[in-house]
């Protein structure tokens, strides 16, 4: 097929297909720019789809490059704030960069502008804030006037500035439906901090949501969460977001987080059009007591569901498990991730119900009764047996035993787990977290037994650090030199490995990236997204 296209004159199309594989490889995309004009055009369009989210950005000069496309009147407005510095003198650029925009995160846009301005202006807060507001508006205006069309729109409000930026630019969006009518991925996250409640009457949030409700009915991925610290009536926002579910014709993924209106939102799934389209559902920081009464009824309507992700949720008790296993399965579940602690028996019930079709399974360490030594070995054996039985499906595993809760038999528990876990792991794990007391001898046994397992992301927390236990030397011998992980994080009572620059550089020589242990929560969320 490729040869047929090549000889039929489809070389540009083939180049585009090839370069799409490098979408997330920024350094390779930069190299593609240097090949020829055709490669350059394809790579540039990817690099400028969403420059605000590029992790490697340090100086935020892409904002400056955007602003070179402004007309003279708009440049004069910036000049009033002292933004000249010969930065915007060039009247043209090689490409129409604003037209490439495909993904926008409103919070990251504001953050990028503020960082860029911090290198140009003095510390006059009021002046810089007004300049940032102007630049934010000019960028949105530029995207719209250059016929940008968003594929992904993330409306995230974390700070008071986020609300003000949003309010000042949304009328442009409301007046130009072509900018957002092709959205496939919509994320709407409101963090209502103290002092933000009074901003709502003066914002365009509700008109914007009603606008999306009327103009966007082809969303495939929809995430919304409302997290608030102070009282107030925000039900109109929740209701409007919930109503958007009903109008979608091809919704494949839906995610709920920390939502006070979650019951109504979840209940609407009964009357929606998604029974034959929804493949992935994610619950993040949700109290399952809210929906347990109609959980089974709603899930019985999903015909093509493939993945259920339950991340940092509450009330995952026996009632929840019974509701799960009593679902009349019209779908074949391929991925089940539960980040909360469950009893071994509950996990076994879930696997008996869904295990035949699972391709990916992830769970946190189980909740045992560690009150006496007689139960320890039996409970640990049950868990290890469970891991061994499902290892062909296992992708995510977290084992953490709190020293302060189980201190009586803590050393025994940790030693048994480490000495027996290695030989039952699958050949590849996406993520493994160990939160235990980790002694050098036990760690050596674990690493030797798991020598045939590649772990993409390994996070280790030594819960009871002993300065005489040199676990880092074991990690270097069995992990670093063997290149058995891609990402590594190690934390003990006193220090995070990422703060040891010399060690970080040494691991880098073996193509191992050191990460901060606290990023575990971010990594968990990334793992969920990687299955989408």
């Amino acid at each position: 097929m490729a040869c047929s296209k090549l000889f039929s004159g489809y070389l540009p199309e083939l180049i585009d297909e090839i370069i799409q594989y490098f979408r997330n490889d920024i350094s390779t995309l930069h190299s593609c720019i240097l090949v020829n004009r055709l490669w350059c055009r394809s790579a540039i369009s990817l690099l400028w789809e969403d420059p605000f989210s590029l992790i490697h950005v340090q100086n935020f000069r892409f904002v400056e490059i955007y602003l070179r496309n402004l007309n003279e009147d708009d440049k004069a407005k910036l000049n009033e704030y002292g933004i000249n510095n010969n930065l915007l003198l060039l009247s043209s650029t090689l490409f129409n960069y604003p037209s490439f925009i495909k993904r926008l995160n409103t919070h990251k846009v504001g953050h990028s502008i503020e960082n860029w301005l911090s290198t140009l202006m003095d510390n006059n807060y009021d002046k810089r804030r007004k300049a940032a507001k102007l630049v934010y508006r000019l960028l949105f205006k530029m995207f719209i006037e250059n016929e940008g069309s968003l594929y992904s729109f993330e409306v995230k409000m974390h700070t008071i500035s986020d609300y003000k930026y949003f309010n000042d630019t949304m009328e442009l969006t409301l007046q130009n439906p072509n900018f957002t009518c092709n959205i496939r991925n919509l994320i709407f996250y409101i963090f209502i901090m103290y002092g933000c409640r009074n901003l709502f009457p003066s914002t365009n949030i509700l008109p914007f949501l009603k606008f999306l409700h009327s103009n966007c009915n082809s969303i495939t991925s929809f995430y919304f969460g409302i997290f608030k610290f102070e009282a107030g009536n925000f039900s109109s926002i929740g209701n409007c977001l919930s109503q958007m579910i009903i109008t979608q014709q091809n919704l494949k993924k839906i995610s709920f987080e920390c939502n006070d209106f979650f019951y109504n939102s979840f209940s609407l799934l009964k009357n929606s059009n998604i029974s034959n389209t929804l493949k992935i559902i994610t619950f993040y920081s949700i109290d399952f007591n809210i929906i347990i009464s109609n959980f089974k009824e709603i899930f019985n309507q999903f015909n093509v569901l493939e993945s259920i992700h339950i991340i940092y949720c509450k009330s995952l008790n026996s009632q929840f498990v019974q509701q799960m296993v009593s679902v009349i399965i019209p779908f074949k579940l391929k991925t089940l991730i539960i980040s909360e602690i469950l009893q071994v028996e509950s996990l076994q019930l879930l696997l008996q119900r869904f295990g035949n079709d699972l391709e990916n399974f992830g769970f946190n360490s189980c909740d045992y009764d560690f009150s006496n030594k007689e139960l320890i070995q039996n409970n640990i054996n049950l868990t290890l047996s469970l891991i061994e039985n499902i290892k062909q499906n296992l992708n995510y595993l977290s084992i953490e035993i709190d020293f302060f809760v189980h201190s009586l038999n803590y050393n025994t528990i940790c030693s048994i787990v480490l000495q027996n876990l290695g030989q039952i792991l699958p050949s590849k794990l996406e993520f493994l977290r160990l939160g235990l007391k980790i002694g050098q001898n036990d760690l050596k046994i674990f690493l030797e037994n798991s020598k045939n397992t590649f772990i993409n992301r390994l996070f280790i927390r030594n819960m009871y650090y002993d300065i005489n236990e040199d676990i880092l030397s074991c990690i270097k011998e069995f992990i670093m030199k063997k290149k058995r992980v891609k990402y590594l994080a190690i934390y003990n009572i006193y220090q995070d490995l990422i703060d040891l620059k010399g060690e970080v550089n040494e691991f880098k020589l073996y193509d191992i990236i050191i990460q901060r242990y606290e990023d575990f929560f971010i990594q968990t969320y990334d793992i969920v997204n990687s299955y989408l």
Side-chain angles (χ1 to χ4, degrees):
M1 181 64 181
C3 290
S4 174
K5 286 187 175 183
L6 180 62
F7 291 112
S8 300
Y10 287 92
L11 183 59
E13 179 183 335
L14 289 173
I15 295 300
D16 279 338
E17 289 182 11
I18 293 171
I19 292 182
Q20 286 292 331
Y21 286 102
F22 305 130
R23 174 180 295 276
N24 299 315
D25 188 341
I26 304 303
S27 61
T28 299
L29 287 176
H30 279 291
S31 298
C32 291
I33 292 173
L34 305 176
V35 176
N36 58 37
R37 190 183 298 270
L38 180 59
W39 284 60
C40 180
R41 175 63 174 79
S42 296
I44 283 290
S45 65
L46 292 180
L47 285 169
W48 286 83
E49 282 187 349
D50 182 15
F52 302 96
S53 295
L54 296 182
I55 299 174
H56 74 287
V57 170
Q58 297 294 329
N59 54 23
F60 301 93
R61 286 198 62 216
F62 63 88
V63 177
E64 167 192 323
I65 294 173
Y66 273 137
L67 297 179
R68 289 176 183 172
N69 291 278
L70 293 175
N71 59 43
E72 294 305 317
D73 289 340
D74 287 333
K75 287 182 180 180
K77 293 177 184 177
L78 291 176
N79 193 41
E80 294 176 6
Y81 293 98
I83 305 175
N84 48 31
N85 198 28
N86 298 321
L87 295 175
L88 311 178
L89 291 181
L90 295 177
S91 58
S92 62
T93 54
L94 292 174
F95 296 95
N96 183 5
Y97 297 109
S99 68
F100 297 138
I101 198 72
K102 292 296 181 186
R103 299 191 295 272
L104 271 185
N105 178 310
T106 56
H107 176 74
K108 290 180 180 178
V109 173
H111 178 73
S112 299
I113 293 170
E114 291 166 2
N115 277 278
W116 178 67
L117 289 176
S118 68
T119 66
L120 301 176
M121 301 179 65
D122 56 30
N123 292 325
N124 186 323
Y125 174 78
D126 187 59
K127 184 178 180 181
R128 191 189 296 180
R129 179 178 57 81
K130 291 179 180 178
K133 190 176 180 181
L134 173 61
V135 172
Y136 194 100
R137 182 178 177 83
L138 289 175
L139 286 178
F140 265 75
K141 178 183 175 185
M142 189 183 304
F143 296 143
I144 291 171
E145 289 180 347
N146 286 275
E147 300 182 350
S149 180
L150 295 182
Y151 177 89
S152 176
F153 198 18
E154 301 181 26
V155 180
K156 292 193 174 183
M157 301 187 192
H158 298 268
T159 66
I160 292 177
S161 294
D162 287 337
Y163 289 97
K164 293 181 177 179
Y165 290 148
F166 180 90
N167 191 46
D168 197 48
T169 56
M170 276 308 102
E171 76 276 8
L172 293 173
T173 301
L174 298 176
Q175 294 166 10
N176 297 275
N178 288 340
F179 185 50
T180 54
C181 67
N182 293 319
I183 289 176
R184 295 294 181 269
N185 176 47
L186 177 64
I187 295 178
F188 199 90
Y189 181 81
I190 303 176
F191 185 84
I192 304 173
M193 56 189 294
Y194 292 110
C196 287
R197 179 169 51 136
N198 294 330
L199 291 172
F200 275 84
S202 62
T203 61
N204 285 317
I205 292 176
L206 283 177
F208 172 66
L209 291 177
K210 291 177 181 178
F211 168 81
L212 291 180
H213 178 268
S214 302
N215 292 276
C216 303
N217 60 6
S218 299
I219 295 171
T220 59
S221 176
F222 185 24
Y223 165 93
F224 69 97
I226 300 177
F227 187 85
K228 61 191 182 72
F229 277 120
E230 57 181 335
N233 183 13
F234 306 105
S235 59
S236 55
I237 296 173
N239 291 336
C240 201
L241 284 166
S242 300
Q243 288 297 318
M244 287 190 65
I245 298 173
I246 299 177
T247 62
Q248 301 311 310
Q249 304 297 319
N250 193 32
L251 192 62
K252 296 179 179 179
K253 172 207 167 186
I254 189 166
S255 303
F256 303 95
E257 177 179 358
C258 254
N259 193 343
D260 287 344
F261 321 105
F262 176 60
Y263 180 81
N264 291 334
S265 304
F266 185 73
S267 298
L268 283 175
L269 296 181
K270 290 191 298 185
N271 304 314
S272 66
N273 300 315
I274 65 175
S275 61
N276 292 315
T277 63
L278 188 68
K279 293 186 175 182
I280 301 167
I281 186 166
T282 299
F283 304 100
Y284 195 97
S285 297
I286 297 295
D287 187 343
F288 271 81
N289 274 336
I290 300 174
I291 61 167
I292 199 66
S293 60
N294 60 1
F295 183 91
K296 175 183 173 182
E297 179 185 2
I298 291 175
F299 267 73
N300 279 337
Q301 298 183 33
F302 297 150
N303 296 318
V304 295
L305 190 68
E306 294 181 353
S307 300
I308 300 174
H309 307 140
I310 301 173
I311 310 297
Y312 307 131
C313 292
K314 300 176 182 178
S315 305
L316 300 186
N317 49 30
S318 58
Q319 185 182 7
F320 157 76
V321 173
Q322 287 301 322
Q323 286 286 314
M324 280 281 287
V325 300
S326 62
V327 170
I328 302 172
I329 310 177
F331 51 84
K332 291 185 178 181
L333 197 64
K334 295 181 179 180
T335 297
L336 176 61
I337 296 180
I338 302 176
S339 73
E340 295 307 300
I341 294 175
L342 290 178
Q343 293 182 344
V344 181
E345 292 78 7
S346 295
L347 282 172
Q348 289 176 324
L349 285 174
L350 290 174
L351 286 169
Q352 288 172 6
R353 193 66 173 119
F354 299 106
N356 290 337
D357 298 306
L358 282 181
E359 297 176 3
N360 300 295
F361 181 64
F363 68 98
N364 208 330
S365 52
C366 301
D367 185 18
Y368 323 119
D369 180 2
F370 286 111
S371 58
N372 65 71
K373 289 186 178 182
E374 293 180 3
L375 291 175
I376 292 175
Q377 188 69 56
N378 182 53
N379 284 323
I380 291 178
N381 285 342
L382 281 174
T383 303
L384 295 173
S385 176
L386 175 65
I387 293 172
E388 186 170 20
N389 290 336
I390 63 169
K391 67 179 182 181
Q392 69 273 14
N393 301 325
L394 189 64
N395 245 315
Y396 167 97
L397 177 61
S398 173
I399 297 180
E400 181 172 24
I401 303 173
D402 194 329
F403 167 75
F404 298 102
V405 175
H406 308 303
S407 57
L408 179 64
N409 301 305
Y410 190 69
N411 292 353
T412 302
I413 298 168
C414 294
S415 183
I416 293 174
V417 169
L418 284 171
Q419 290 186 25
N420 291 276
L421 180 64
Q423 62 263 37
I424 62 173
L425 291 179
S427 59
K428 183 178 179 180
L429 271 176
E430 174 62 31
F431 188 93
L432 174 63
R433 179 174 71 134
L434 299 174
L436 309 162
K437 176 184 177 182
I438 300 175
Q440 188 179 47
N441 291 333
D442 290 334
L443 183 60
K444 281 183 178 180
I445 293 173
F446 167 75
L447 294 175
E448 179 64 33
N449 288 338
S450 61
K451 62 184 178 182
N452 295 321
T453 298
F454 178 82
I455 304 168
N456 192 40
R457 312 178 199 194
L458 175 61
F459 276 44
I460 295 175
R461 182 181 181 186
N462 200 347
M463 303 288 284
Y464 185 66
Y465 179 68
D466 185 342
I467 196 170
N468 296 315
E469 298 287 352
D470 182 15
I471 70 167
L472 190 56
S473 63
C474 292
I475 295 293
K476 288 182 178 180
E477 179 182 354
F478 291 93
I479 293 291
M480 183 182 76
K481 294 180 180 179
K482 305 292 185 181
K483 297 183 179 180
R484 288 171 49 189
V485 303
K486 185 175 181 180
Y487 301 97
L488 176 67
I490 301 177
Y491 180 81
N492 59 49
I493 298 298
Y494 304 106
Q495 199 163 41
D496 193 308
L497 178 60
I498 200 170
D499 296 324
L500 304 176
K501 300 304 179 185
E503 303 290 356
V504 171
N505 291 333
E506 184 178 356
F507 278 92
K508 189 175 181 181
L509 294 175
Y510 292 84
D511 296 323
I512 296 175
I513 300 171
I514 301 301
Q515 296 187 315
R516 188 170 298 281
Y517 183 85
E518 290 179 354
D519 288 345
F520 159 69
F521 300 101
I522 299 173
Q523 295 288 326
T524 303
Y525 198 74
D526 287 344
I527 290 168
V528 169
N529 289 331
S530 71
Y531 290 119
L532 308 185

